């Protein structure tokens, strides 16, 4: 299955700014709200409670056997994981949210780096589900056992009849970073390029003079100092 990747317009600054301060779980029923709040509060402290994969992910299947299944997101849990309507936690395989609680400048506000990623995913989910009745397709590349179930995926959405990657959209906007494997290599090289582009354009988190990258290095926005 072929598709055209379109570089998205700027996300709604009003919607994103609002999500920085309004708890995403406020409109959910009590049980789900408590579940979401538990994960969000931990993430706000720099703790990602959604486990990573226990086995290698089948990322090559995206190119060789793309199988899309519709999901309906309920709420962002971390900077790269969300809860769907089937009570499954879906973790994006290609993107890594910020894990630092250090304060950064973002859209004129002084907020924590983790808050930028959490709000960025919440805003991106709203954008992604807007075109297809609160849903969008994902391709699953792995699963970890346990309760709740965690499934690893790359998700897509359409806007103006063009298909976009949810992960790449977040990376290009400077909400998050290209995920890397244990050897430090990007899981998707094209997402690493998107991260480089975001860094050069000082998008989102990259607009700060320096901050702690989630993979443990101190980065500066000037490419010559990296």
């Amino acid at each position: 299955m072929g598709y055209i990747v379109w570089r998205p317009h700027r996300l709604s600054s009003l919607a994103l700014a609002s999500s920085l301060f309004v708890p995403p779980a406020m409109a959910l029923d009590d049980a789900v709200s408590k579940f979401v709040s538990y994960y969000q509060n931990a993430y706000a402290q720099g703790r990602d409670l959604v486990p990573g994969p226990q086995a290698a992910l089948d990322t090559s299947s995206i190119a060789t056997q793309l199988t899309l299944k519709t999901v309906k997101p309920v709420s962002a849990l971390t900077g790269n994981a969300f809860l769907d309507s089937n009570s499954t936690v879906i973790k994006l395989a290609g993107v890594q949210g910020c894990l630092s609680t250090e304060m950064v400048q973002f859209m004129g506000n002084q907020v924590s780096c983790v808050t930028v990623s959490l709000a960025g995913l919440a805003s991106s989910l709203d954008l992604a589900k807007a075109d297809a009745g609160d849903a969008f397709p994902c391709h699953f590349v792995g699963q970890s056992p346990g309760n709740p179930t965690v499934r690893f995926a790359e998700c897509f959405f359409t806007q103006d009849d063009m298909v976009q990657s949810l992960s790449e959209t977040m990376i290009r906007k400077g909400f998050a970073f290209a995920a890397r494997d244990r050897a430090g290599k990007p899981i998707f090289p094209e997402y690493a390029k998107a991260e480089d582009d975001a860094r050069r354009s000082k998008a989102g988190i990259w607009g700060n003079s320096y901050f702690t990258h989630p993979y443990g290095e101190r980065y500066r926005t000037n490419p010559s100092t990296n």
Side-chain angles (χ1 to χ4, degrees):
M1 177 179 178
Y3 55 88
I4 301 171
V5 176
W6 173 74
R7 307 308 178 200
H9 292 302
R10 187 177 183 85
L11 294 178
S12 168
S13 58
L14 178 60
L16 182 56
S18 297
S19 67
L20 290 171
F21 305 105
V22 178
M26 62 184 296
L28 306 179
D29 65 55
D30 188 56
V32 176
S33 178
K34 289 180 179 178
F35 179 88
V36 170
S37 295
Y38 177 71
Y39 280 85
Q40 288 183 348
N41 289 336
Y43 190 72
Q45 298 169 26
R47 297 184 295 120
D48 188 347
L49 299 184
V50 181
Q54 298 180 13
L57 299 177
D58 184 19
T59 55
S60 64
S61 62
I62 296 176
T64 61
Q65 192 176 3
L66 186 66
T67 304
L68 297 175
K69 296 183 179 180
T70 299
V71 302
K72 290 189 175 183
V74 172
S75 179
L77 299 176
T78 69
N80 66 334
F82 62 92
L83 181 69
D84 76 359
S85 59
N86 292 321
S87 299
T88 297
V89 175
I90 297 177
K91 191 160 189 169
L92 299 174
V95 65
Q96 173 63 59
C98 189
L99 295 174
S100 172
T101 58
E102 67 184 310
M103 304 302 287
V104 296
Q105 286 289 331
F106 184 72
M107 296 178 62
N109 298 297
Q110 185 84 354
V111 297
S112 65
C113 193
V114 290
T115 297
V116 175
S117 286
L118 181 61
L121 178 56
S123 179
S124 298
L125 290 175
D126 287 341
L127 176 68
K129 67 185 183 180
D131 187 64
D134 290 340
F136 49 77
C138 294
H139 174 84
F140 293 96
V141 297
Q143 180 172 318
S144 290
N147 186 21
T149 299
V150 178
R151 302 189 72 187
F152 302 90
E154 282 302 283
C155 299
F156 307 91
F157 63 100
T158 60
Q159 192 171 55
D160 297 334
D161 297 323
M162 296 293 184
V163 177
Q164 305 172 50
S165 158
L166 179 60
S167 293
E168 187 173 5
T169 295
M170 291 187 62
I171 294 166
R172 285 193 174 276
K173 293 299 179 182
F175 301 151
F177 309 89
R180 291 166 171 77
D181 61 20
R182 292 180 180 178
K185 296 181 179 180
I187 294 176
F188 298 103
E190 61 271 30
Y191 292 175
K193 182 181 182 303
E195 182 180 301
D196 287 340
D197 291 343
R199 173 173 51 82
R200 282 191 291 267
S201 64
K202 298 184 179 181
I205 298 170
W206 294 101
N208 292 272
S209 58
Y210 62 86
F211 61 92
T212 302
H213 192 280
Y215 290 92
E217 297 182 49
R218 199 73 170 175
Y219 277 68
R220 293 186 182 275
T221 56
N222 184 342
S224 66
T225 63
N226 284 346

